[in-house]
Amino acid sequence: MAKERVHTLAEPVQFGSETITQVTITRKLKHLRNCTLRAGADAKGEVSVNLDFGTLIDLGAKMIGHPVAVLEEFAEEDQSVVIQEANDFLFRHLGTGPKP
């Protein structure tokens, strides 16, 4: 079963005729299907991962089940919660993120 977390928005968002006051953030492997990461190493052999911020925005929108346009309307505080969840989920599957 997918891990889910309900987040109550600090500021409700109006999208079309819908007022969104909370979202369910769902971690499903299928959301990672189109994520792109680039790994590389510098001259010292230090490995780094390059992540396009758009990837986190797209992943966050998938995880809340709304279009990117909805996430873009969230208050900064709410955007940060969703993006952090997306970041943690993505990097957990790379073996570099926090373990639940």
Side-chain angles (χ1 to χ4, degrees):
M1 174 174 253
K3 180 179 176 186
E4 293 185 341
R5 173 181 173 219
V6 175
H7 171 69
T8 301
L9 299 179
E11 297 178 28
V13 170
Q14 188 72 33
F15 190 73
S17 62
E18 181 181 9
T19 300
I20 302 168
T21 58
Q22 68 179 23
V23 292
T24 301
I25 304 169
T26 306
R27 292 180 175 214
K28 289 186 177 181
L29 190 59
K30 71 179 183 178
H31 298 319
L32 298 175
R33 183 174 303 276
N34 294 319
C35 291
T36 303
L37 297 173
R38 290 176 193 84
D42 63 16
K44 295 179 183 178
E46 298 286 327
V47 176
S48 64
V49 175
N50 295 319
L51 175 64
D52 180 274
F53 199 68
T55 298
L56 285 178
I57 294 169
D58 293 343
L59 178 57
K62 289 176 187 175
M63 290 174 68
I64 63 171
H66 288 285
V68 170
V70 171
L71 181 55
E72 290 172 341
E73 293 302 316
F74 282 12
E76 185 176 354
E77 175 183 340
D78 297 317
Q79 289 173 339
S80 293
V81 168
V82 174
I83 295 302
Q84 186 61 54
E85 284 281 342
N87 184 69
D88 291 349
F89 182 50
L90 182 61
F91 281 94
R92 178 169 184 262
H93 284 281
L94 287 177
T96 60
K99 306 292 185 233

